[in-house]
């Protein structure tokens, strides 16, 4: 396997919960991200999936240091982002960028497209001033928009066009890592496919390492090299996209996959949904042992006492489940 380009080591993001108007006291801790480790090679696309509230977006923002980690390391191209001071981090930010879920909210309504793209270049001094006009025009063409639109404002574009502009802005400083946080969930289905194909194309052409966050497994399968499944602040399964989708190992992943509609009417009739009982536990007070055990049909007494760790299931996949081999007949 190629040398790791991005390494996440035991990353934790905990938020203190406090009460009191005058004297503040801690009454608990929300463990949004609770001990995540994985690595990616240059140019790899990782799909990060899980239901709402599992910590996907917090993980993405912590990797980019938009939220300071409580513990752990984020090593990008040999540099630990979590150990940098403000000046070092500002200089390093050109190497990693984020594409947000709502392009209208992430674009300044008072700035033209040209200003939005040029601002990043000027801030990081990546492009000489005399070349900015040419660079902005090239970025517009790269994301499938005409350069003649650069003097327009965000409200003059459709949702799909605005997301293309947001992608162009992320590319403006020539980053090495991009985290896309639900970048197509607010778009029409036909436009979703265009944006996903665009991101996949740009990743191949520019050797971008991409973390694609979504709750939609079918979308993630289309773009990802590997898929990581999150549940209550932890990754419970990780492996090649096709294998995770076609032969899920963790009971939670099996339930997610069973909910994905099949475009073949005959096969769709035979699809058997796995309905999980109860609601996801609170990250403020997670259950002992495996966090998924209160909703798992395969749980036994050991699952409520022992916290499973990520272990190799085969050469390509890892899973955090005490009964993974037994459940999957291995």
């Amino acid at each position: 396997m190629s040398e790791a380009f991005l390494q996440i080591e035991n990353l934790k993001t905990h938020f203190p919960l406090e009460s009191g108007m005058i004297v503040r006291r801690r009454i608990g801790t929300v463990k949004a991200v609770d001990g995540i480790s994985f690595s990616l090679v240059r140019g790899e696309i990782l799909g990060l999936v899980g239901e709402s509230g599992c910590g996907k977006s917090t993980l993405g923002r912590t990797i980019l240091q938009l939220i300071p980690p409580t513990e752990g390391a984020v090593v990008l191209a040999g540099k630990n982002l979590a150990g940098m001071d403000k000046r070092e981090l500002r200089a390093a930010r050109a190497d990693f960028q984020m594409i947000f879920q709502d392009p209208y909210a992430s674009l300044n309504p008072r700035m033209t497209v040209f200003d939005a793209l040029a601002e990043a270049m000027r801030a990081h001094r990546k492009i000489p001033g005399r070349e900015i006009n040419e660079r902005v025009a090239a970025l517009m063409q790269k994301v499938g928009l005409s350069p003649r639109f650069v003097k327009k404002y965000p409200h003059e574009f459709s949702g799909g066009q605005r997301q293309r502009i947001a992608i162009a802005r992320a590319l403006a400083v020539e980053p090495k890592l991009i985290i896309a946080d639900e970048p197509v969930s607010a778009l029409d289905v036909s436009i979703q496919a265009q944006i996903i194909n665009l991101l996949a194309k740009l990743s191949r052409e520019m050797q971008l390492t991409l973390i694609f966050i979504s709750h939609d497994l079918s979308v993630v399968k289309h773009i990802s090299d590997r898929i990581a499944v999150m549940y209550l602040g932890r990754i419970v399964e990780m492996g090649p996209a096709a294998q995770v989708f076609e032969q899920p190992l963790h009971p939670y992943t099996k339930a997610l996959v069973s909910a994905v509609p099949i475009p073949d009417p005959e096969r769709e009739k035979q699809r058997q949904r796995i309905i999980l009982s109860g609601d996801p536990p609170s990250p403020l007070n997670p259950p002992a042992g495996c966090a998924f055990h209160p909703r798992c049909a395969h749980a036994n007494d050991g699952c409520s006492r022992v916290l499973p760790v990520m272990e190799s299931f085969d050469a390509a996949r890892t899973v955090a489940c005490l009964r993974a081999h037994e459940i999957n007949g291995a």
Side-chain angles (χ1 to χ4, degrees), residues 53-132:
C54 71
K56 305 186 300 295
S57 295
T58 302
L59 174 59
R61 291 167 187 258
T62 303
I63 291 173
L64 298 188
Q65 306 302 298
L66 296 176
I67 299 174
T70 305
E71 186 180 318
V74 178
V75 182
L76 179 66
K79 299 178 181 178
N80 183 8
L81 304 182
M84 292 182 175
D85 59 29
K86 290 184 178 180
R87 179 184 294 179
E88 292 173 324
L89 190 57
R90 178 177 173 79
R93 283 199 182 280
D95 289 337
F96 49 91
Q97 293 291 306
M98 190 163 194
I99 301 169
F100 296 92
Q101 178 176 0
D102 185 354
Y104 192 67
S106 66
L107 294 171
N108 190 331
R110 298 189 179 189
M111 295 178 70
T112 64
V113 172
F114 178 87
D115 291 334
L117 300 185
E119 181 186 38
M121 300 179 199
R122 295 189 182 111
H124 289 280
R125 298 182 176 89
K126 278 282 187 177
I127 307 294
R130 63 183 180 276
E131 298 179 12
I132 286 181

Side-chain angles (χ1 to χ4, degrees), residues 30-32 50-56 215 230-234 236 252 255-256 275-288 290-296:
V30 177
K31 298 178 179 180
E51 58 195 334
S52 297
C54 71
K56 305 186 300 295
H215 62 273
M230 275 191 74
Y231 186 80
L232 208 66
R234 293 176 175 269
V236 297
Y252 177 60
L256 291 182
I275 307 298
L276 298 177
S277 59
D279 297 319
S282 168
L284 178 62
N285 186 28
C290 174
F292 186 64
H293 86 264
R295 308 172 73 192
C296 181

Side-chain angles (χ1 to χ4, degrees), residues 223-255:
I223 191 174
S224 305
D225 298 310
R226 285 192 293 163
I227 290 177
V229 182
M230 275 191 74
Y231 186 80
L232 208 66
R234 293 176 175 269
I235 291 179
V236 297
E237 182 172 347
M238 191 169 184
Q243 293 184 32
V244 170
F245 197 87
E246 294 167 9
Q247 295 179 319
L249 302 175
H250 196 280
Y252 177 60
T253 311
K254 293 176 185 288

Side-chain angles (χ1 to χ4, degrees), residues 1 51 134 226 248 264:
M1 186 175 178
E51 58 195 334
E134 182 181 342
R226 285 192 293 163
D264 184 334

Side-chain angles (χ1 to χ4, degrees), residues 178-197:
I178 287 182
I179 294 183
D181 187 7
E182 301 268 13
V184 298
S185 62
L187 306 177
D188 293 339
V189 174
S190 59
I191 306 301
Q192 287 183 8
Q194 295 177 19
I195 298 299
I196 291 167
N197 290 335

